[in-house]
Amino acid sequence: MRVLAPSPPATDDMDARRLVLRDGSTATVRATVPGDREAMQRFFNELSPESHYRRFLTKGEPSDALIDRFCNSSDLSQALTLVACREDRFVAVASYIALTGRSAEVAFAVDDRFQGRGISTLLLERLAAFATANGFERFHATTQSDNVPMLDVFRESGFEVRSKSDRGCIDLQWSLTPSPAGVASAERRRRLATIASIEPLLAPRAVAVIGASRDPGKIGSRILRALSTSHFTGQVHVVHPDAVEIQGVPACRSARDLPAGVDMAVIAVPAASVPALVDDCAAAGVKSLVVISAGFAETGPDGRAAQDALVDKVRGHGMRMVGPNCMGLLNLDPDVRLNASFSPVVPPAGGVAFSSQSGALGIAILGMAGSRHLGLSAFVSVGNKADVSSNDLLEYWEEDPRTRVILLYLESFGNPRRFARIARRVGRTKPIVALKAGRTRAGSRAAGSHTAALAASDVAVEALLHQSGVIRVDTVDELFDVAVCLDAQPLPKGRRVAVVTNAGGPGILATDACEAAGLSVTEFTGDTCTRLSAFLPKTASVANPIDMVAAAGPDDYRRAIAIALAAPETDALIVIFTPVDAPRADAIIEGIRAGIIAGRASGDRDKPVFACISAESLGSAPLKAGDESIPTFVFPERAIRALGKVANYAGWRSAPAGLFWSFDDIHVEEAQRICRQAIAARGGGWLTTGETSAVLHAFGVPTAVSAVAHSPDEAVALASVMGFPVAAKLASASVLHKSELGAVRLNLATAQDVRKAFTEILARAGKTVPGQTIDGVLIQSMVPDGIEMIAGITHDPVFGPLVGFGMGGIDVEVFRDVRFRVAPLTDRDADELLHEIRGIRLLQGHRGRPPADLDALRDILLRVSRLAEDVREIAELDLNPVMVLDAGKGCRVVDARIRVSGHPNETVGIRA
């Protein structure tokens, strides 16, 4: 076993159609097709002589045969050419062509106008990802020794590069296995490019509004008014074909007449008029668009086609776009003060950024932000997120010094793997809170394996967010509760909570809520109890909760809070005040403030404090203790539920990041070959018993010794070699659950038992599954008694492969003690899977039973994860049962099934 990297290379971007260049502009990337011949020839003809010579090392034109080869990317095991496009013209061409089965030659050409923007590096990364997926291990290239830009591309690629010089040229070769430093460097380049592309949207120098009119109720007019009333620090322009001015702003007749320097245009016109306006904006040099207009993908197939065409047009011009079908965006930075939306309210400025996939919900949340005293740094309604998505905004807000917390309202994931990669990194410094709509699965899908049957649609979402360190909430109220806590208070160092109250009932409710949230109300001992007892009445409870009884006054609260904050047994503090003497309420609140200030002054500044106060004088405002804002609730349950989620996040953030592992004894090509041959021969489906065994063997997954017998004599011979007792099972790829058919026999101790079992199993199969393909009878060595577990793979159409693990056996779907993670798994993911199931107590040793071999089980999970990643043809895999033996004795897979489907790399450039 060996560490791959703290983060895997970004292969999740390999088939995205968009490239974001170093200057923040964009290009469209795709694989070539035979119809590209004329465009390819034109591209090479228009290269400058110097660029042409650097590409071909000759002044001569490329041959027709070479042009034809560039335009044929149908077989990625032989060649691939990627083209980057702007306005339907090629601006860069990158190719690899196979030299051997493991190595390929790579070459680039970039339009002179686009050199220096990082386009070659991006294309090299794409080529490397596709080459690796198709079995290549090395790239070769030849370039001139003075071709500094291209040499820099190769050196910065993140791969191990070797070179040698020969007559003014340099021959380079490098391994396609990326280094951790190279992965980090690539991530940094992508992040900087994304930030540069979002800057014109959230910090534009000038904004144009297209769609404003003299009707003040029109959306365009409302947006123009919002820009004015928010006192936007940049310039505002308006486009109208007839008006001289609107709302006092001089109007241009066409977007083409806009002055230079307009970074963003807000478009609020009927959908049919949008494409022409995009061309006009591009002609004026506008860098980004906010398309408010509805009538695109949300309306059905025709709208989807119109939206796809719009995205192609926007990217063809090198622009970024928010929307369509959105409500706009806000940046509350005092240096920007941008309100390019039709929201009737503007929240206070603060440190929380918010991205919403729903415009209507976004308006409601902007209104709630003010009433809940939550200050925002920025708000973006991404609408249909045809281009700019939450992934882009996460990278922008990661580097924004004013943003401390990021909130997301999500309805779908466009590229969940990129989301996970970015969120896992961002969450190490800034918490991300997500409200994901659509928990239930509308309808059902047929599943032939236990693993697939247990993986509902929301399972993948839950796994992805958990692995990424994202705090998932269930309601808008909870979203605000958690956000306020994160924005105003430090993260807890642990899960121990102190409760200070003047009423026993709320104290009990708080204790129950803590236990439900995974927090603990640890009893005080020693010095803490002594200090509390020194001033509280004998009727008070000082053990935690600190129940000071109803007579508690301001000084009691002040002293108790200061002591509780200083207590070494606590990591967080909940202060509850139930007014029983209205005239003293304000004084007691002052005592609470004083206690918090005193506790902070003593050095206890790293413990979050929450107040639960039902006093009318406080209203809904947070409690102020000096310069500190204390999140305030009416009842303790909401405060504690939020604290529980924050504590979970704090634990994730403080723990070492998980590492991705690989193994020196796996044979990826062998497993791929078996699966691809099955697809070619049978169109996919369930692998045979022999094929399944061979795939597992290629990845070092330990299985019980077994072989398929085709006659009673052969069965007896196999059993004799393995050693009695043995098991006999029906061998058939088309029979899902053999036990239910009575096609399994265990503990066969003699040759006679084996003969009888062989005959009975085939007879049983002939009666219960007539017409199905029967491979024979599997003879398998009996595995010593162990704990039956399940491990498997299922493929989610959006999230890709999921790895499942839990209690196994024939009743796995009844007990449903199975958890999932999105592949690839880190070592931390594997450990969490092991310890999250309810059956972990059985594995750790229960009622005198010795502990099971958790190390061997963890090894299986990591190998299954690599199998899910490296052999994408696998649609479902069930290892059930996996017999887990005592510690140090390993595991054995007793039964396994694998279903394969079409080759994953048949198309290139399919995702937005």
Side-chain angles (χ1 to χ4, degrees):
M1 181 184 287
R2 55 187 168 85
V3 177
L4 285 178
S7 177
T11 55
D12 49 272
D13 286 335
M14 63 190 280
D15 58 351
R17 295 185 61 198
R18 180 189 70 202
L19 292 177
V20 181
L21 309 186
R22 186 178 296 156
D23 62 355
S25 66
T26 63
T28 299
V29 61
R30 62 173 176 82
T32 54
V33 295
D36 289 328
R37 196 182 194 290
E38 181 178 346
M40 185 72 70
Q41 187 70 65
R42 182 172 64 246
F43 169 78
F44 286 124
N45 288 342
E46 292 177 353
L47 285 177
S48 68
E50 181 181 9
S51 295
H52 187 282
Y53 186 80
R54 285 179 170 176
R55 169 60 182 86
F56 296 105
L57 301 181
T58 178
K59 295 181 180 180
E61 295 297 322
S63 66
D64 289 345
L66 186 57
I67 294 291
D68 288 338
R69 191 166 191 182
F70 289 152
C71 296
N72 183 1
S73 297
S74 59
D75 184 356
L76 303 190
S77 67
Q78 294 300 312
L80 170 64
T81 297
L82 297 176
V83 289
C85 307
R86 276 277 189 89
E87 299 179 353
D88 297 325
R89 297 179 70 88
F90 295 171
V91 298
V93 175
S95 305
Y96 72 68
I97 297 176
L99 297 173
T100 68
R102 294 288 178 267
S103 64
E105 183 179 21
V106 65
F108 302 85
V110 180
D111 186 311
D112 293 68
R113 296 168 300 169
F114 286 83
Q115 293 177 8
R117 303 193 197 186
I119 196 167
S120 294
T121 302
L122 293 171
L123 291 176
L124 175 59
E125 291 171 359
R126 292 288 180 93
L127 286 177
F130 278 108
T132 300
N134 285 274
F136 293 99
E137 298 174 352
R138 294 178 303 281
F139 269 170
H140 295 259
T142 301
T143 189
Q144 294 169 292
S145 57
D146 62 350
N147 189 355
V148 176
M150 190 53 61
L151 290 173
D152 287 342
V153 168
F154 293 142
R155 292 188 181 113
E156 294 174 2
S157 64
F159 305 100
E160 181 184 357
V161 179
R162 298 179 181 178
S163 62
K164 64 177 181 178
S165 300
D166 183 24
R167 296 188 301 276
C169 291
I170 296 179
D171 293 325
L172 303 106
Q173 61 173 318
W174 62 95
S175 166
L176 295 183
T177 301
S179 66
V183 171
S185 177
E187 287 293 295
R188 179 66 179 170
R189 288 194 299 270
R190 288 188 186 89
R191 183 160 69 253
L192 292 176
T194 298
I195 291 170
S197 75
I198 300 298
E199 192 79 15
L201 285 162
L202 283 174
R205 296 168 298 172
V207 175
V209 179
I210 305 175
S213 70
R214 296 184 182 91
D215 183 348
K218 294 291 187 182
I219 288 180
S221 300
R222 291 163 60 186
I223 293 171
L224 183 60
R225 186 163 56 253
L227 282 165
S228 175
T229 56
S230 66
H231 305 292
F232 172 53
T233 58
Q235 293 182 325
V236 179
H237 305 276
V238 64
V239 176
H240 194 283
D242 302 316
V244 176
E245 59 83 24
I246 297 176
Q247 298 179 23
V249 179
C252 300
R253 294 181 60 85
S254 166
R256 293 177 181 267
D257 299 327
L258 287 168
V262 175
D263 288 330
M264 180 177 76
V266 184
I267 299 177
V269 301
S273 302
V274 173
L277 289 171
V278 172
D279 291 333
D280 292 345
C281 289
V286 176
K287 295 180 179 179
S288 63
L289 305 171
V290 177
V291 180
I292 308 293
S293 314
F296 290 93
E298 78 280 2
T299 64
D302 291 342
R304 165 63 68 181
Q307 180 170 298
D308 291 344
L310 176 65
V311 172
D312 287 343
K313 182 178 287 291
V314 169
R315 291 177 182 167
H317 289 305
M319 307 161 81
R320 297 304 309 265
M321 176 181 68
V322 170
N325 186 34
C326 71
M327 61 164 284
L329 51 81
L330 297 89
N331 184 351
L332 299 168
D333 184 342
D335 293 333
V336 180
R337 296 199 301 270
L338 171 70
N339 181 6
S341 78
F342 55 86
S343 170
V345 296
V346 177
V352 178
F354 185 70
S355 166
S356 175
Q357 204 171 333
S358 166
L361 182 64
I363 292 177
I365 285 176
L366 290 176
M368 289 179 66
S371 64
R372 298 288 293 271
H373 304 275
L374 184 69
L376 299 187
S377 60
F379 168 84
V380 180
S381 166
V382 293
N384 293 358
K385 58 176 187 178
D387 179 37
V388 172
S389 69
S390 298
N391 292 348
D392 300 303
L393 296 171
L394 282 175
E395 293 200 290
Y396 182 84
W397 287 327
E398 178 183 11
E399 300 289 337
D400 178 21
R402 296 184 63 255
T403 296
R404 297 186 296 271
V405 181
I406 301 171
L407 307 184
L408 306 174
Y409 170 73
L410 304 169
E411 293 178 353
S412 62
F413 288 92
N415 189 339
R417 293 189 154 221
R418 181 171 179 244
F419 173 88
R421 178 165 47 85
I422 295 170
R424 188 182 288 117
R425 183 187 72 235
V426 175
R428 288 287 163 185
T429 56
K430 297 183 180 183
I432 304 169
V433 189
L435 173 58
K436 171 64 174 68
R439 276 187 173 272
T440 59
R441 177 169 60 180
S444 61
R445 60 184 172 88
S449 68
H450 294 294
T451 308
L454 290 164
S457 59
D458 194 58
V459 166
V461 174
E462 187 68 33
L464 181 81
L465 296 180
H466 177 87
Q467 288 171 260
S468 307
V470 175
I471 304 171
R472 186 177 189 181
V473 296
D474 299 320
T475 66
V476 173
D477 271 336
E478 195 174 34
L479 181 75
F480 275 98
D481 290 345
V482 173
V484 167
C485 295
L486 289 167
D487 190 42
Q489 291 294 302
L491 294 176
K493 303 295 186 188
R495 312 185 70 85
R496 302 168 303 168
V497 180
V499 178
V500 175
T501 180
N502 68 336
I508 295 171
L509 289 175
T511 303
D512 290 343
C514 282
E515 184 171 341
L519 305 170
S520 64
V521 180
T522 307
E523 287 192 16
F524 294 134
T525 58
D527 182 60
T528 302
C529 288
T530 301
R531 295 176 66 193
L532 290 167
S533 298
F535 66 92
L536 290 176
K538 292 183 178 180
T539 53
S541 172
V542 298
N544 197 20
I546 304 169
D547 182 0
M548 300 181 296
V549 303
D555 194 56
D556 295 323
Y557 265 101
R558 179 185 62 80
R559 297 174 70 179
I561 288 170
I563 291 170
L565 268 177
E569 302 96 332
T570 65
D571 302 302
L573 174 63
I574 304 289
V575 179
I576 303 173
F577 170 44
T578 303
V580 293
D581 185 358
R584 290 204 306 168
D586 289 347
I588 289 176
I589 290 174
E590 287 303 316
I592 293 173
R593 290 191 177 101
I596 296 170
I597 293 171
R600 296 305 197 200
S602 67
D604 296 301
R605 306 195 63 84
D606 58 350
K607 297 179 182 179
V609 179
F610 306 92
C612 302
I613 302 174
S614 54
E616 292 183 3
S617 61
L618 193 62
S620 61
L623 181 72
K624 289 293 185 180
D627 295 332
E628 184 176 359
S629 180
I630 307 298
T632 306
F633 303 83
V634 176
F635 297 106
E637 292 90 342
R638 278 177 50 181
I640 292 168
R641 191 180 303 116
L643 175 59
K645 290 185 177 292
V646 171
N648 290 339
Y649 165 73
W652 175 87
R653 178 163 151 172
S654 63
L659 297 174
F660 295 90
W661 293 82
S662 188
F663 300 85
D664 294 324
D665 61 345
I666 64 175
H667 303 282
V668 177
E669 297 82 3
E670 175 64 12
Q672 290 175 335
R673 181 189 63 79
I674 295 167
C675 294
R676 292 173 184 177
Q677 284 182 348
I679 292 169
R682 306 190 296 272
W686 295 99
L687 297 184
T688 66
T689 302
E691 290 168 338
T692 298
S693 178
V695 169
L696 296 179
H697 179 74
F699 270 74
V701 177
T703 59
V705 177
S706 60
V708 176
H710 302 89
S711 69
D713 288 343
E714 188 178 2
V716 170
L718 288 172
S720 299
V721 172
M722 294 176 189
F724 293 100
V726 296
K729 306 175 183 180
L730 180 67
S732 172
S734 55
V735 177
L736 301 183
H737 307 302
K738 305 174 185 68
S739 297
E740 297 175 9
L741 299 178
V744 176
R745 300 288 187 275
L746 304 177
N747 291 307
L748 304 176
T750 67
Q752 183 179 357
D753 291 340
V754 172
R755 290 181 184 278
K756 180 180 179 182
F758 184 96
T759 303
E760 288 178 349
I761 287 173
L762 291 186
R764 181 71 174 169
K767 292 179 180 179
T768 55
V769 286
Q772 298 296 328
T773 301
I774 305 299
D775 299 326
V777 174
L778 183 75
I779 305 301
Q780 186 177 75
S781 62
M782 288 296 299
V783 176
D785 286 343
I787 302 173
E788 293 187 342
M789 308 302 294
I790 183 174
I793 300 168
T794 185
H795 193 278
D796 184 274
V798 175
F799 294 85
L802 308 178
V803 175
F805 168 76
M807 298 300 297
I810 61 175
D811 296 323
V812 59
E813 291 178 42
V814 175
F815 297 111
R816 305 185 72 84
D817 188 14
V818 177
R819 297 293 183 272
F820 287 86
R821 291 290 186 272
V822 178
L825 268 58
T826 65
D827 50 6
R828 181 172 169 181
D829 293 329
D831 286 336
E832 287 183 348
L833 274 178
L834 289 174
H835 290 86
E836 277 185 6
I837 63 169
R838 297 187 302 275
I840 182 60
R841 292 178 61 193
L842 292 174
L843 294 170
Q844 291 172 332
H846 182 63
R847 294 194 175 183
R849 184 185 181 99
D853 199 332
L854 290 177
D855 289 340
L857 198 49
R858 179 176 180 267
D859 184 83
I860 286 180
L861 289 177
L862 291 173
R863 289 178 184 272
V864 167
S865 171
R866 292 264 28 110
L867 184 58
E869 277 293 287
D870 295 337
V871 188
R872 290 300 185 92
E873 293 82 4
I874 294 178
E876 293 181 50
L877 177 146
D878 253 10
L879 307 179
N880 183 34
V882 178
M883 301 299 292
V884 187
L885 309 181
D886 295 346
K889 296 184 179 179
C891 303
R892 296 291 184 275
V893 175
V894 174
D895 200 4
R897 292 176 53 76
I898 296 176
R899 183 174 67 84
V900 295
S901 60
H903 196 287
N905 294 323
E906 291 175 342
T907 57
V908 182
I910 58 173
R911 280 208 307 260

